[in-house]
Amino acid sequence: QIQITDQYRFNFINQVNAEAIKPKNFKAVIDFSYGGASQILPPILGRLGINVVALNAYLEGHRLDHDPIESLRSVQEVQKIVPIVNADVGFILNASAEKILVIDESGKFFDHQQLMIAISQLALETYHFKKIAVPVDANIFIEEICSKSGCELVYTSSDHQGMMNAVINQKV
């Protein structure tokens, strides 16, 4: 019997072009925030040839809900470590791995709007989607990106449920 995590890893690896990623020898600093992703992601990233400097990479239930000061401390820590270890990127995952913060190779923090623009543009250039959904607080620049790509833009509420409803009801 295959365990759920093994199946998840298998499916994940089969959705990416591992042979294109491996030769890049990427290096990433990842703060797992004591969450479950620390048990799932490292083997996936290892199979992709990504060298990971892992922080807070063990389960610790009483620390799963970071307070804002702890989150700021995590950002500052990753900002310092990324350039020191010559990493290509830094990530801070929340404990449930539903939210992500990104730090570039120089230690600069990407705010969520910058990240949303970059990911939207990359997704449209790579997959040529005809429709995407973004939260109502998305930067207006995404409208321009969608317009140039001939992509319909659907706005959702700024919570997980809004995005899931758009996927189910609007076939995004």
Side-chain angles (χ1 to χ4, degrees):
Q1 173 178 330
I2 296 177
Q3 290 190 355
I4 293 171
T5 54
D6 293 334
Q7 187 64 49
Y8 179 86
R9 288 181 191 123
F10 176 81
N11 291 342
F12 190 103
I13 292 292
N14 286 319
Q15 293 300 312
V16 298
N17 185 345
E19 297 311 312
I21 297 170
K22 284 180 185 178
K24 304 291 184 185
N25 295 314
F26 288 118
K27 186 179 210 178
V29 174
I30 305 175
D31 184 335
F32 289 98
S33 300
Y34 310 102
S38 65
Q39 308 301 303
I40 296 169
L41 275 179
I44 292 171
L45 299 174
R47 291 210 33 214
L48 295 173
I50 299 171
N51 183 6
V52 175
V53 175
L55 306 172
N56 305 312
Y58 54 94
L59 297 176
E60 192 167 325
H62 73 278
R63 297 184 77 171
L64 290 179
D65 291 325
H66 276 267
D67 65 16
I69 294 187
E70 184 68 26
S71 296
L72 177 60
R73 199 172 300 132
S74 294
V75 170
Q76 291 170 338
E77 184 175 39
V78 173
Q79 283 180 306
K80 289 177 187 171
I81 294 171
V82 167
I84 289 172
V85 300
N86 293 316
D88 299 294
V89 66
F91 299 107
I92 302 160
L93 306 175
N94 71 337
S96 61
E98 293 175 339
K99 295 182 181 178
I100 186 171
L101 301 176
V102 179
I103 310 294
D104 75 7
E105 71 277 355
S106 69
K108 179 181 169 250
F109 173 74
F110 275 88
D111 72 31
H112 76 282
Q113 291 292 340
Q114 292 171 308
L115 191 56
M116 193 180 330
I117 290 168
I119 289 173
S120 297
Q121 187 161 7
L122 179 62
L124 289 172
E125 289 173 2
T126 304
Y127 299 106
H128 310 288
F129 292 123
K130 297 297 176 202
K131 186 189 286 189
I132 65 170
V134 297
V136 293
D137 65 346
N139 188 297
I140 192 136
F141 187 65
I142 292 180
E143 283 185 19
E144 186 178 322
I145 294 168
C146 285
S147 177
K148 287 180 182 176
S149 299
C151 176
E152 180 185 347
L153 184 61
V154 175
Y155 287 101
T156 71
S157 59
S158 296
D159 58 14
H160 289 93
Q161 190 63 47
M163 190 61 75
M164 296 311 297
N165 287 340
V167 170
I168 293 167
N169 299 328
Q170 308 242 357
K171 297 183 177 40
V172 177

